[in-house]
Amino acid sequence: MTLTLGYRRNTENTKNLHGVALPALLMSGALAYSAILGGLVNYSAARDLTVSAFELSHTAEQEAAWAVPAEAKADTATILDARFPRVYLNEDAQILGSDQMLAAAIGEAGKREMVYMMGKGEEFSMVLLENGTEGYIRTSSLSGSLAEIFDACNQTKWIANDSAAILAAPAADAAVAAEALYNEEVTITGTNDLQYWQVRYGDVYGYIDHDALMDEMYVEPEPEPEPVIQAPAYTAPQANPAWNGQPLTRSAGVIYGPSGKETYYNLNMSGVIALMQAAGYNYNYWVRSDGVKMYGDYVMVACGFQVRPRGTIVESSLGTAICADTGTFSYTDPYQIDIAVDW
């Protein structure tokens, strides 16, 4: 197995922690530890290092890994993750041999590549690549999280939910900077393969869950034109023969007929007809000579569906009716009927 220990490099003012991997084959217990420490000291002499094994902090996982006998053939135990933060490149960058502006490049790393930050500087930071390359890179080229790295774009999207939060950071628990409402337009300024994208909403810049977006604005479709019915000249309202009271008229506006309160309305019935046909009521739509809208042999009325579901037959002052529609009036009086006319 291979054990990776930490070491300290002496510098003028600071001590930077680094890592070195040493082979430890067919050893166990104190012998293995002694051999590793001896190798580390020898390595330090060549690299101008000062080592104190007891200065190193050990996690429980690392201690357990060191305690595994060689015959158990343990996997590589590493303290890099414990001692040095993982960071990611937010752009393609060259790895320099020193922290000087004109230093020679000794390697390169791609956008979103993970590196270990061995020491952070104001302008340059020391990093270790996964391939073992150790060098310097501009600190501004590093990000602590992949969620903060985006590919620039300029895309127009629309809010697909009732509302969507514009967040101050690309995380679900971030503060809410603004709320965008359904069908409102936003501009996506940065994307990645993760959940939250950069967005501009008016004057607000932030982050949004891309699942809350749609590619096109929703446009309410134009209603189908109401069927044109050739009807004879209007006559006086045709009262229900079974009703002895006054029939509903345009001038009367409201009456109390054989089934309760009656009013009238005049709207496009195309949607209502489509719903009736979908429910299995396949009659012909027409307009009676007195202006009453008919569906087959029935007067079309709106009812309170909670007491008279769609398709219920009910008597009105203008004839036997069918409940084809409903309205908010039913919240106040569920037994009221609203007769469809073209007055």
Side-chain angles (χ1 to χ4, degrees):
M1 65 179 178
T2 299
L3 300 181
T4 304
L5 296 178
Y7 64 85
R8 292 181 180 273
R9 169 183 290 172
N10 287 340
T11 62
E12 293 180 0
N13 300 314
T14 62
K15 290 185 176 181
N16 294 321
L17 290 174
H18 302 278
V20 55
L22 299 172
L25 301 176
L26 302 178
M27 295 182 291
S28 63
L31 176 60
Y33 186 78
S34 174
I36 293 169
L37 184 57
L40 185 57
V41 172
N42 292 335
Y43 184 82
S44 71
R47 293 290 297 271
D48 187 24
L49 306 175
T50 301
V51 175
S52 173
F54 297 99
E55 285 184 86
L56 301 175
S57 64
H58 309 316
T59 66
E61 290 80 3
Q62 292 157 9
E63 294 286 2
W66 293 336
V68 173
E71 55 268 21
K73 298 182 179 179
D75 293 332
T76 299
T78 177
I79 66 169
L80 283 175
D81 283 336
R83 299 304 296 264
F84 310 116
R86 289 185 175 208
V87 292
Y88 303 88
L89 274 71
N90 55 39
E91 60 185 356
D92 295 338
Q94 290 186 323
I95 308 301
L96 305 179
S98 72
D99 59 355
Q100 301 301 311
M101 179 75 71
L102 300 179
I106 60 174
E108 58 185 28
K111 186 174 183 178
R112 294 186 175 87
E113 185 171 339
M114 188 277 291
V115 298
Y116 292 102
M117 183 181 285
M118 313 296 284
K120 184 176 181 181
E122 185 173 338
E123 186 171 2
F124 289 93
S125 292
M126 188 176 185
V127 298
L128 176 66
L129 276 64
E130 288 188 294
N131 65 8
T133 301
E134 182 183 283
Y136 293 84
I137 193 169
R138 285 189 178 276
T139 303
S140 60
S141 297
L142 300 173
S143 296
S145 170
L146 285 172
E148 299 170 353
I149 302 175
F150 298 91
D151 298 317
C153 68
N154 184 14
Q155 301 177 6
T156 300
K157 302 284 186 178
W158 288 265
I159 303 301
N161 301 335
D162 291 340
S163 65
I166 309 299
L167 302 173
D173 58 354
V176 176
E179 287 279 350
L181 302 179
Y182 174 74
N183 220 31
E184 285 193 311
E185 180 180 310
V186 297
T187 300
I188 303 303
T189 58
T191 64
N192 56 27
D193 293 332
L194 303 177
Q195 196 66 32
Y196 295 93
W197 288 353
Q198 285 181 324
V199 65
R200 184 179 75 245
Y201 172 60
D203 295 331
V204 177
Y205 289 80
Y207 305 87
I208 192 169
D209 184 340
H210 67 75
D211 286 340
L213 302 172
M214 55 186 177
D215 295 331
E216 297 181 357
M217 175 188 291
Y218 176 76
V219 178
E220 188 76 30
E222 292 290 332
E224 292 290 331
E226 186 171 351
V228 177
I229 304 298
Q230 296 295 331
Y234 290 158
T235 60
Q238 300 175 24
N240 187 341
W243 171 243
N244 296 324
Q246 176 187 353
L248 179 67
T249 64
R250 183 172 185 174
S251 58
V254 179
I255 69 158
Y256 286 86
S259 299
K261 183 179 179 180
E262 292 183 10
T263 54
Y264 68 86
Y265 72 108
N266 183 7
L267 293 176
N268 188 312
M269 303 303 289
S270 297
V272 176
I273 294 169
L275 290 172
M276 288 295 286
Q277 290 175 344
Y281 300 95
N282 296 305
Y283 306 141
N284 292 324
Y285 169 77
W286 57 288
V287 180
R288 212 165 63 183
S289 61
D290 58 355
V292 174
K293 294 181 179 181
M294 305 290 291
Y295 197 53
D297 295 332
Y298 301 106
V299 174
M300 297 184 76
V301 297
C303 304
F305 282 170
Q306 63 269 48
V307 294
R308 292 169 176 154
R310 189 188 308 276
T312 300
I313 304 301
V314 61
E315 292 298 330
S316 78
S317 66
L318 296 176
T320 302
I322 187 169
C323 293
D325 198 5
T326 190
T328 56
F329 65 86
S330 63
Y331 298 139
T332 304
D333 182 357
Y335 291 95
Q336 177 183 341
I337 60 173
D338 206 13
I339 299 178
V341 299
D342 68 354
W343 301 336

